[in-house]
Amino acid sequence: MEWDSDFFSFGVAKLKPTSEGGFDIKKALQQRSIKLAYIESHQLLPQLENFLIGGKVKYSATLPLKKNSICKDIVSISPSESSEELESLAIQSGQFSRFNRDPNIAREKFEELYRCWITRSIRREIAFENLASKSDDKIRGMITLAKHGDRGRIGLIAVDHKYRGHGIGKMLIEGAAQKFTEENLKYVDVYTQCENVGACKLYNSCGFKVIEKYYIYHIWVN
């Protein structure tokens, strides 16, 4: 994985899960100068239980979404905008991220990853639109939007911890769904962590359905 390898400054790969025994994964990775390998599996892999980081779930909904709230104070984020508020929200969005949960990844590196993610999104490198909930010039929440074929995809989404519990997350999702609909997209997808109970409840309340679940493993080679 070229981008990941460049970011972490060591070899990173993604492996397909296998139930075959007698295969020394670490030895094979060492031979290829790989220090970290990701595995995503729909089934638990008992032989790799020590490398389990957590679960990932994919939600999907058909557009347009049925509106449940008034999308007030939802604005587009300018491609030239950059702020500590947006960086803080990006980091908050990754609270349950596998990169934050993995004890082998330093907190500073995890934060750098999410700062990079929001910066590239705002510049429209990996997103076509980004929305924020703003009030009194304060950004209370944000969401990044990408598209693939006839599907929209929510990337980062976060509501600042000081403003949670006021329906801002739902307004951000409905604002995003409106943008996706304007782009003539048919579906919207979003990934989150199984451990992120708040996010799962939010997507369920907005009419999303679970279509896939994964177990995520990080295999480190000393």
Side-chain angles (χ1 to χ4, degrees):
M1 303 189 74
E2 185 176 353
W3 192 93
D4 297 60
S5 299
D6 288 342
F7 177 79
F8 286 109
S9 300
F10 53 70
V12 180
K14 186 174 182 179
L15 305 180
K16 293 182 179 179
T18 177
S19 58
E20 295 179 9
F23 180 66
D24 191 335
I25 294 178
K26 283 193 172 184
K27 184 176 180 180
L29 294 173
Q30 276 182 324
Q31 291 173 345
R32 293 164 175 78
S33 300
I34 299 297
K35 185 176 181 179
L36 170 62
Y38 312 139
I39 292 181
E40 294 182 356
S41 172
H42 291 100
Q43 306 294 328
L44 280 170
L45 302 174
Q47 70 274 28
L48 298 177
E49 62 178 337
N50 292 334
F51 302 103
L52 181 64
I53 293 295
K56 183 168 76 172
V57 58
K58 180 180 181 181
Y59 283 90
S60 184
T62 302
L63 294 168
L65 289 186
K66 179 181 177 181
K67 282 195 173 184
N68 297 303
S69 60
I70 300 173
C71 299
K72 62 179 181 179
D73 302 324
I74 303 298
V75 299
S76 178
I77 302 173
S78 166
S80 61
E81 186 168 351
S82 178
S83 70
E84 291 183 2
E85 286 177 304
L86 288 172
E87 290 186 355
S88 174
L89 283 167
I91 292 168
Q92 289 181 59
S93 76
Q95 177 184 356
F96 295 93
S97 161
R98 59 195 175 105
F99 298 104
N100 191 35
R101 293 168 61 88
D102 189 332
N104 292 300
I105 296 176
R107 173 74 185 187
E108 294 78 10
K109 202 64 179 175
F110 152 71
E111 292 186 359
E112 181 187 347
L113 175 62
Y114 275 76
R115 287 193 187 96
C116 181
W117 192 343
I118 189 62
T119 297
R120 295 183 68 206
S121 295
I122 297 303
R123 291 175 180 170
R124 305 297 199 270
E125 294 175 12
I126 56 175
F128 76 91
E129 178 63 284
N130 305 279
L131 303 176
S133 170
K134 267 190 174 182
S135 181
D136 299 325
D137 290 327
K138 292 186 180 296
I139 298 177
R140 301 176 300 175
M142 64 82 190
I143 187 169
T144 70
L145 287 58
K147 54 185 176 180
H148 304 272
D150 63 353
R151 309 188 77 92
R153 180 176 295 177
I154 294 170
L156 297 176
I157 177 172
V159 175
D160 188 88
H161 61 88
K162 299 189 296 293
Y163 303 107
R164 292 174 187 169
H166 300 285
I168 295 172
K170 185 169 289 188
M171 285 190 287
L172 285 168
I173 288 177
E174 292 175 354
Q178 183 175 328
K179 289 291 183 183
F180 288 137
T181 301
E182 290 171 1
E183 294 289 320
N184 297 314
L185 303 179
K186 296 181 179 179
Y187 310 96
V188 53
D189 302 323
V190 61
Y191 291 87
T192 192
Q193 298 77 31
C194 296
E195 297 80 9
N196 193 345
V197 176
C200 293
K201 286 183 178 178
L202 173 61
Y203 300 134
N204 285 326
S205 71
C206 290
F208 285 70
K209 303 296 182 184
V210 175
I211 59 173
E212 279 187 286
K213 287 185 178 180
Y214 307 84
Y215 297 98
I216 301 175
Y217 299 84
H218 282 189
I219 299 176
W220 288 89
V221 180
N222 297 327

